[in-house]
Amino acid sequence: MSSHSYNRIKMPQGFWEGLRQLGIASHDVTRKAGLPLTIISETTVSTTQYYAIWQAYSDLTGDVAQGIIRLATVYEVTKYPPPILATYHARDYRDALHRMARYKQLCPPESLKMVEMGEKCMIDLEWIVTDQTCPPLLVGLTLAFLLELGRKGTGQPLTASAVEFAQPMGDVQALEVYLGCPIRTGGSRNRLTLHRKDLDLPFLTYNEELLEILSPALDHTLHEYKVNRSMSDIVKWIMKRSLSAGCPEVQTVAKELGMSDRTLQRRLMDEKTSFVHLLTQARHEQARMYLTDLSLNIKEVAFLIGYEDQNSFYRAFRAWEGVTPANWRSKHAERYAKPEDTFTGR
């Protein structure tokens, strides 16, 4: 999905108040970000402004990890917008996380993908806007808030099982103490892994009456949000989010959208496109993005966009770009390469 679709990002309620509690003046943040002071009164900002604000906070706080810990622990629940507030009144931790994932559909440029497997629950943070680099502090804070959600709701000092970040996170040791688990940086994704048994813990703040008030409002907002976007955009967004789990099928996407596969295909025909065409576009766009990440080899890129074997990916990519993935990477990702990097085996 193009970054244009996400040109207006909601600023979190209470963000500026949270900074004030940390002793950081709003005008210092806006000045550092190179933005006008009036941005403080804006409820939505552009993606560029959104990232600039978070990067400015990160710079002013001095260390990424410390900035994550300080803001995650000082932020007051009462400052959250109603949909997030509803997560704190969920039945249990699992219910709260599912509600948070649904709310994130309204919060581009990020989305959450949650998978329970064995004794673990993996939550991947994915960025739909891929033409800009998200500040590491924002990545870390987003995942930290998910753990804080469980701690505040259950009243227990929960810890994560493991955390993986694609970018450096400053004082990793301090962050490991805060999260209670080992942290890997420089990985291929941003993932919070929780202990699955913790998801069954009831929330002390469970409030059925309040949920009955807040949930319909979120459902209505989600409906309006989807209505105002083209079906093609929504389908491609779901595809990009799902590719690493394998090639998405039309039935799976249709089910997520709450419609039959025939209805979905008809809606796409009305927009003069098809499921297969959008899948090809999604794979092509994601392949170009992943190839600029030199930490990923060609086989990994093929897997991340839903190809089971590398040869199939090679054939598809040559059809898209007229060159092999390695040759495309050599030309377009050259400025990211370290002196010792070679592309012959990538």
Side-chain angles (χ1 to χ4, degrees), residues 121-294:
C121 171
M122 286 76 71
I123 304 176
D124 286 349
L125 173 62
E126 300 175 349
W127 300 93
I128 309 303
V129 177
T130 58
D131 56 352
Q132 302 182 59
T133 302
C134 176
L137 184 142
L138 178 56
V139 174
L141 188 63
T142 302
L143 294 184
F145 269 138
L146 297 179
L147 183 58
E148 279 294 321
L149 170 63
R151 288 173 173 175
K152 288 185 171 69
T154 65
Q156 298 189 31
L158 303 182
T159 61
S161 173
V163 178
E164 179 179 346
F165 293 115
Q167 299 163 286
M169 285 290 155
D171 187 354
V172 173
Q173 288 185 333
L175 204 53
E176 286 181 333
V177 171
Y178 167 69
L179 296 171
C181 70
I183 293 175
R184 177 191 174 192
T185 59
S188 61
R189 59 196 166 203
N190 297 299
R191 169 178 288 182
L192 171 69
T193 302
L194 300 171
H195 303 285
R196 192 175 184 182
K197 60 181 177 58
D198 290 343
L199 272 60
D200 295 318
L201 293 173
F203 265 30
L204 304 178
T205 50
Y206 173 53
N207 188 321
E208 185 177 4
E209 291 78 11
L210 187 59
L211 287 177
E212 289 179 355
I213 297 173
L214 296 176
S215 296
L218 174 58
D219 292 338
H220 176 73
T221 305
L222 280 170
H223 173 72
E224 291 296 319
Y225 181 64
K226 291 178 179 180
V227 165
N228 291 328
R229 296 161 63 198
S230 72
M231 182 56 63
S232 300
D233 277 350
I234 297 172
V235 168
K236 196 191 293 188
W237 174 71
I238 293 174
M239 287 174 172
K240 287 184 176 182
R241 192 184 63 184
S242 310
L243 281 173
S244 61
C247 183
E249 298 181 349
V250 63
Q251 293 86 353
T252 304
V253 175
K255 183 177 180 180
E256 185 162 346
L257 290 169
M259 62 180 68
S260 69
D261 54 324
R262 286 188 177 183
T263 299
L264 173 58
Q265 290 172 327
R266 186 172 63 252
R267 292 280 299 275
L268 293 178
M269 286 180 61
D270 291 341
E271 295 182 8
K272 296 181 171 39
T273 187
S274 68
F275 187 88
V276 173
H277 179 67
L278 292 176
L279 178 58
T280 299
Q281 283 188 335
R283 280 176 152 175
H284 186 187
E285 291 168 11
Q286 292 299 94
R288 288 168 61 98
M289 181 194 73
Y290 288 133
L291 285 171
T292 61
D293 182 351
L294 300 184

Side-chain angles (χ1 to χ4, degrees), residues 44-81:
T44 61
V45 296
S46 69
T47 304
T48 301
Q49 292 170 331
Y50 185 69
Y51 285 171
I53 290 170
W54 281 104
Q55 186 59 55
Y57 164 64
S58 179
D59 294 340
L60 290 170
T61 200
D63 179 80
V64 173
Q66 294 298 335
I68 292 169
I69 297 169
R70 292 176 67 198
L71 192 55
T73 52
V74 77
Y75 217 94
E76 297 181 14
V77 174
T78 56
K79 299 295 183 180
Y80 289 124

Side-chain angles (χ1 to χ4, degrees), residues 283 298-316:
R283 280 176 152 175
I298 299 295
K299 186 176 182 179
E300 289 171 324
V301 173
F303 172 79
L304 287 171
I305 63 171
Y307 283 97
E308 295 183 0
D309 66 274
Q310 189 171 328
N311 289 334
S312 296
F313 171 56
Y314 265 87
R315 288 193 295 271

